[in-house]
Amino acid sequence: MMRVTTNSTIYTYQKNLLKTSNQLYSAMNAMMSGRNFDSYSADPAAATRAFQIHSSLNATNAQASNNQTVHKKFSTAWDVADDVIDMVTDLGVSPTMKGLNDPSGLSTLNTQGDVIFSGAESIIQSLNSKYDNSFIFGGADTENPPFAIETVGDKHYLTYRNVRIDDPDPNYYTQTYHDANGNEVLDKDGNALTNQQMMDSWKDEHMYVDIGIGFQLDKNGKVVDSTAFDSAISGVDFVGGTGLDGDGDPNNAISIMLRLSEIFRGYDQETQTWSSAGDKEDAQRLLNKLNAAQDQLSNQYTQLDTQAKFLETNQSQLESTFYSLNTELNSVEKIDEVEAILTLVSAQTSYNAAIQVGANVVPQSLMDYLN
């Protein structure tokens, strides 16, 4: 027969009481904090997974913010493109046709030339639009307005980032480039770049943004283009490109309009003679090319629309990913309230029972007996 001593009884009781107290404290703490664990040691596996989810949530949130910004930029560019196409029609094609088909002769040519020139200026103002305080069509340069008209005598040149994009004089492109502040741009060897070299460098410009399509760098530290979105919009590509065609005419719609305005404004109403800028035949040829350049603008408009829709779809995907991650995080970190309440009630019952056992089982001291 085994004898149970008083000390043994008290020790066992204190041990069980401490255990039930800890259980009650844990249950109460879970209810108040709403968390399954409050330290890494409490549940290492769950804490590790929670850390991973938090990291993914932060990345997804940043990607969604990037995507939203770029989407708004491309949506704004899409709206501008729509306006530019209309302006080419209303302020380029229409006044040219009116001037060439005037039933009273060519009496309105000068006026129509002014309209065409104003139209070119209006298009440039639209292409110098900003989104979020950044110029949209400046490629990788978002700090300076990309387009301007440079006037030399009676000639007008469209410039992009301070370079004429279709000067017929080839010597112009061998000249040293100067930026909007009049500063030279040097290459890695310290040599000043020419206008042509700058134009060539702009063809390789990118503004990659991480929008959640697997952003990666290659071994040289450069972004793998298939894993990021290029948010740069080249204005010079948008208007039709640089240089002249086989006839010596500009490729882009704005420069064609400037040439048409020079021809029309150069016509002498009194002597009914054309200037060195061109004649009716030249104007008709440029009108046909203006229509072709407008088609190029329409292609750019379609491309912007496609990119904007892709960004919209990607935004929905990122939002869905964020929701799924957040749901998983809640399942890892957050308590099940019903289960937590039942656990708390059970812990409270166990604790009360332990207290009651102590009152009935633990022997009283001599002083307790005398009292």
Side-chain angles (χ1 to χ4, degrees):
M1 178 176 180
M2 185 176 69
R3 178 172 173 269
V4 179
T5 66
T6 301
N7 288 339
S8 175
T9 301
I10 294 175
Y11 172 79
T12 302
Y13 169 73
Q14 289 176 336
K15 181 179 177 181
N16 291 331
L17 179 62
L18 181 61
K19 181 179 179 180
T20 56
S21 297
N22 288 336
Q23 291 174 343
L24 178 60
Y25 170 78
S26 297
M28 293 176 63
N29 186 60
M31 281 297 300
M32 289 186 292
S33 66
R35 295 174 56 86
N36 280 325
F37 55 90
D38 53 10
S39 66
Y40 181 84
S41 59
D43 192 339
T48 299
R49 180 55 186 155
F51 177 81
Q52 294 172 340
I53 297 174
H54 274 293
S55 179
S56 298
L57 278 171
N58 290 336
T60 303
N61 191 46
Q63 291 160 356
S65 178
N66 291 340
N67 191 92
Q68 186 176 38
T69 299
V70 177
H71 177 251
K72 290 181 178 179
K73 173 183 177 179
F74 273 74
S75 295
T76 304
W78 182 82
D79 291 335
V80 171
D82 190 27
D83 293 338
V84 168
I85 292 173
D86 291 339
M87 283 190 283
V88 170
T89 299
D90 299 338
L91 302 176
V93 175
S94 294
T96 301
M97 295 180 65
K98 289 179 182 178
L100 293 176
N101 300 310
D102 186 359
S104 61
L106 301 174
S107 60
T108 65
L109 279 184
N110 296 151
T111 301
Q112 301 301 340
D114 291 336
V115 172
I116 297 171
F117 186 81
S118 297
E121 289 183 315
S122 297
I123 292 174
I124 288 175
Q125 290 175 356
S126 294
L127 293 176
N128 286 342
S129 297
K130 287 183 175 183
Y131 173 73
D132 195 23
N133 207 35
S134 298
F135 290 98
I136 299 173
F137 294 97
D141 181 7
T142 60
E143 301 296 325
N144 302 292
F147 289 102
I149 295 177
E150 181 180 341
T151 301
V152 180
D154 295 331
K155 295 289 294 180
H156 305 283
Y157 300 96
L158 175 64
T159 66
Y160 178 73
R161 294 168 68 172
N162 222 40
V163 175
R164 302 173 191 171
I165 66 175
D166 45 29
D167 193 316
D169 182 6
N171 294 323
Y172 170 78
Y173 295 100
T174 62
Q175 298 174 11
T176 300
Y177 171 78
H178 292 86
D179 62 20
N181 298 317
N183 300 320
E184 295 180 350
V185 177
L186 307 179
D187 61 16
K188 61 181 180 180
D189 297 322
N191 300 315
L193 296 177
T194 64
N195 289 327
Q196 186 61 55
Q197 288 173 323
M198 285 303 301
M199 292 176 66
D200 292 340
S201 70
W202 294 334
K203 296 177 182 178
D204 297 323
E205 279 189 336
H206 304 283
M207 287 179 61
Y208 288 117
V209 180
D210 181 10
I211 59 169
I213 54 177
F215 190 86
Q216 289 183 356
L217 301 177
D218 62 19
K219 60 182 180 180
N220 297 318
K222 294 184 178 180
V223 177
V224 179
D225 55 8
S226 61
T227 66
F229 187 86
D230 188 2
S231 65
I233 303 177
S234 172
V236 71
D237 291 339
F238 178 80
V239 298
T242 63
L244 307 171
D245 62 16
D247 298 324
D249 297 323
N251 290 313
N252 72 85
I254 302 174
S255 293
I256 293 174
M257 290 175 64
L258 292 175
R259 287 282 299 276
L260 283 168
S261 70
E262 291 168 1
I263 293 174
F264 281 16
R265 293 162 94 179
Y267 181 75
D268 192 322
Q269 299 286 352
E270 294 183 0
T271 62
Q272 297 185 351
T273 57
W274 300 89
S275 70
S276 59
D279 55 20
K280 184 175 182 178
E281 182 179 345
D282 293 321
Q284 184 62 58
R285 183 185 71 252
L286 288 170
L287 174 59
N288 295 334
K289 293 183 178 181
L290 182 59
N291 286 319
Q294 189 177 34
D295 291 338
Q296 174 64 22
L297 286 172
S298 297
N299 292 335
Q300 292 291 328
Y301 174 83
T302 301
Q303 185 176 348
L304 286 172
D305 182 52
T306 301
Q307 291 171 310
K309 287 181 178 178
F310 165 76
L311 291 167
E312 184 176 355
T313 301
N314 192 63
Q315 185 72 22
S316 298
Q317 179 61 43
L318 288 170
E319 291 174 356
S320 176
T321 300
F322 187 89
Y323 175 79
S324 298
L325 287 170
N326 203 47
T327 300
E328 182 181 358
L329 181 64
N330 286 335
S331 68
V332 173
E333 288 189 338
K334 303 299 182 182
I335 62 171
D336 183 326
E337 292 188 359
V338 174
E339 182 179 348
I341 291 173
L342 292 176
T343 300
L344 177 60
V345 171
S346 176
Q348 183 69 59
T349 301
S350 297
Y351 178 77
N352 292 339
I355 295 296
Q356 187 65 36
V357 167
N360 296 328
V361 174
V362 176
Q364 295 180 333
S365 66
L366 177 61
M367 294 303 297
D368 290 331
Y369 177 78
L370 293 176
N371 289 332

